[in-house]
Amino acid sequence: MFTLFDNTLKRLIEAAEHLDLDPGFLEKLKNALEMTQARLPIRMDDGSTKSFLAFRCRYDDSLGPTKGGIRFHQQVNGDEVMALALMMTSKCAVMDLPFGGAKGGVKVDPHSLSNMEHESLSRAYVRAFAHVIGPDRDIPAPDVGTNEKTMAWMMDEYSTIVGKRTPAVITGKPVALGGSLGRDDATARGAYNIIQHKARTLGLKRGARVAIQGFGNAGMHMAQLVAADGYKIVAVSDSKGAVHAPAGFDIGELLAAKRCGRVINMAGSAGVSEIPGDELLAVDCEVLVLAALENMVHKGNAESITARLIVELANGPVTPEADEVLKAMNVVILPDILANAGGVTVSYFEWVQNREGDRWTLDQVHARLKTAMEREADAVWTYAREKNITLRTAAYVLALSRIAAAMEALGTDKF
Ligand code: NAD
């Protein structure tokens, strides 16, 4: 049984075969630079104490201070955190950002916490990892189960510890505390920028049908952006279930149903039926957006996919075995380390604004994001064409070539 970390490393090793690299570079990348574990005891609202397991992994800092989100989820574990940190390393490199990769997490069901417990846990996380993070060392951000409120508490706690207001220690903050305009939909917008830029190459036409697995932050924003551009959303799912509307959803009604708690609230509306969650993949459509969690498409269900294009907004949603099946079916995969890199790119914009004491307009953020996504999508497509490899392998080749160049420039005694 391969773990998420094994799968991620495998992709990097495959990419290395297409580059003439000193084997020392890859050897170094087989292990994380720094993996820290802590226990976070917090006082619960009922007066009891609960202890939560927490991690922070800085995977590689060859390209700069490390960057990566903090996940609050009941399935968080060391292997997953390390795998996501390695993905972040590759993602920052693909986008040519001056960052290495990191990730953090707490093993907790965030829905079981009250607001005050969530705040206590967020502040405890920063106290435990204050020696690891820092604006020039390691810069966290939100991920599954955390949000801008979490980032505000964390920034405040860090500022108290170091004795000065330090907004650049963390990104994804509320705009009132130095967050960037345009961060909320940046992940989806980055993927949307690529889809628009490559629509002709991908054979996408106005009215193309889209199914979305995972109707959370990334999935909902994606639905809004593509629907406004004339695409038809025909199926969506969340952890509670899935709904199918062959003629297309009214996007306003869909968002309202989700705001009331769950997408299956839509079932029963005209032309909408509830389907089992795992049947969403098999729905007749041109584009499948994966915006839930990792390993959702595997050897056992890949063959049921009808879409010609898969957009990976989630990290690691397709296993390497499923990659092989989908390649044989000629399905194009817009890989996670490129497709969902809009989030970290606008996080980088936020860090730059905080360090300069500046604020950019929404138009500036959107324009810079579009330029960055189109530039790196072109670079990935060029590698894929020249080397006759998938977009995923091409993205890893581009990332690895940049990381290796930085390692080489740092000198051989760093090995
Ligand atoms: P989120 O928690 O807001 O949304 C996740 C959604 O997936 C929820 O609606 C949840 O109900 C749904 N879900 C969970 N299990 C499911 C299942 N088995 N079937 C269908 N749906 C299921 O999280 P998010 O921020 O939207 O992130 C989603 C993914 O995108 C994660 O993998 C995350 O790491 C990745 N990502 C997010 C960002 C970002 O900026 N939000 C950036 C990069 C990558």
Side-chain angles (χ1 to χ4, degrees):
M1 172 76 177
F2 292 111
T3 66
L4 186 64
F5 180 73
D6 296 333
N7 288 347
T8 312
L9 196 58
K10 185 170 185 278
R11 283 166 172 160
L12 209 62
I13 293 169
E14 271 168 20
E17 287 166 15
H18 299 276
L19 289 167
D20 185 19
L21 286 184
D22 180 323
F25 295 132
L26 199 59
E27 189 57 31
K28 201 172 163 187
L29 286 173
K30 285 183 180 164
N31 292 301
L33 174 67
E34 195 177 303
M35 177 72 172
T36 319
Q37 180 180 314
R39 63 166 184 227
L40 310 181
I42 63 158
R43 183 81 65 200
M44 307 301 282
D45 290 351
D46 64 4
S48 65
T49 298
K50 267 198 185 162
S51 176
F52 298 93
L53 185 59
F55 303 90
R56 185 72 191 166
C57 175
R58 297 178 68 234
Y59 201 90
D60 183 76
D61 67 349
S62 304
L63 285 167
T66 51
K67 180 103 193 70
I70 299 172
R71 179 174 289 197
F72 283 9
H73 193 272
Q74 56 276 21
Q75 276 159 14
V76 161
N77 59 68
D79 179 88
E80 181 191 79
V81 170
M82 224 162 58
L84 293 169
L86 174 54
M87 271 183 223
M88 280 305 295
T89 306
S90 308
K91 198 182 299 186
C92 292
V94 164
M95 291 310 297
D96 212 10
L97 304 177
F99 287 142
K103 203 77 183 188
V106 181
K107 187 172 166 52
V108 60
D109 175 4
H111 305 295
S112 71
L113 299 173
S114 71
N115 201 42
M116 266 173 58
E117 291 164 347
H118 192 131
E119 175 170 356
S120 298
L121 193 59
S122 306
R123 291 185 183 274
Y125 187 93
V126 171
R127 286 196 297 278
F129 295 103
H131 62 295
V132 175
I133 64 175
D136 292 306
R137 193 171 197 280
D138 179 30
I139 306 126
D143 193 72
V144 175
T146 56
N147 53 35
E148 61 172 34
K149 233 164 42 171
T150 323
M151 299 303 111
W153 292 323
M154 289 185 166
M155 186 275 283
D156 185 53
E157 189 68 24
Y158 185 83
S159 299
T160 305
I161 291 169
V162 299
K164 59 179 177 192
R165 179 54 87 86
T166 314
V169 69
I170 208 155
T171 59
K173 300 178 293 295
V175 172
L177 292 177
S180 179
L181 293 173
R183 176 64 185 85
D184 50 353
D185 73 352
T187 300
R189 187 173 290 276
Y192 168 70
N193 287 151
I194 298 176
I195 291 173
Q196 268 188 319
H197 185 54
K198 295 289 180 192
R200 194 182 303 173
T201 313
L202 292 167
L204 289 175
K205 297 203 175 73
R206 212 179 154 74
R209 295 164 303 166
V210 181
I212 303 179
Q213 180 191 59
F215 209 59
N217 178 37
M220 270 198 292
H221 283 121
M222 191 68 181
Q224 274 175 293
L225 288 165
V226 296
D229 207 17
Y231 289 78
K232 219 191 283 178
I233 312 294
V234 292
V236 296
S237 68
D238 61 18
S239 58
K240 308 276 174 21
V243 276
H244 184 205
F249 287 104
D250 176 313
I251 187 76
E253 281 180 23
L254 188 58
L255 294 172
K258 180 66 187 179
R259 256 183 247 116
C260 294
R262 48 186 69 175
V263 291
I264 49 173
N265 287 348
M266 278 298 288
S269 304
V272 181
S273 56
E274 186 179 345
I275 55 169
D278 51 7
E279 278 182 22
L280 178 122
L281 299 178
V283 156
D284 207 13
C285 63
E286 282 74 44
V287 183
L288 172 64
V289 177
L290 299 173
L293 291 171
E294 42 281 342
N295 294 339
M296 302 299 284
V297 176
H298 45 78
K299 208 166 61 177
N301 60 15
E303 269 179 2
S304 69
I305 289 174
T306 65
R308 299 289 89 211
L309 171 69
I310 292 180
V311 181
E312 294 185 331
L313 284 188
N315 289 310
V318 178
T319 65
E321 293 80 16
D323 262 350
E324 291 304 315
V325 175
L326 293 163
K327 190 174 162 195
M329 289 163 62
N330 287 324
V331 177
V332 175
I333 302 179
L334 203 53
D336 47 9
I337 60 168
L338 175 68
N340 70 32
V344 71
T345 303
V346 175
S347 270
Y348 163 65
F349 296 164
E350 180 174 335
W351 181 76
V352 170
Q353 291 171 73
N354 293 159
R355 295 175 72 97
E356 290 180 343
D358 198 4
R359 282 189 190 282
W360 299 355
T361 64
L362 189 59
D363 283 349
Q364 281 174 310
V365 171
H366 285 172
R368 289 180 201 209
L369 176 63
K370 186 167 183 288
T371 303
M373 297 309 304
E374 291 182 356
R375 183 189 64 224
E376 301 310 335
D378 284 342
V380 168
W381 250 266
T382 302
Y383 262 127
R385 203 176 38 243
E386 282 176 6
K387 295 179 184 288
N388 193 22
I389 52 181
T390 62
L391 293 175
R392 187 188 311 286
T393 305
Y396 274 99
V397 169
L398 179 61
L400 198 53
S401 67
R402 286 173 173 159
I403 298 166
M407 283 183 178
E408 188 165 19
L410 285 167
T412 46
D413 68 342
K414 279 283 218 169
F415 280 95

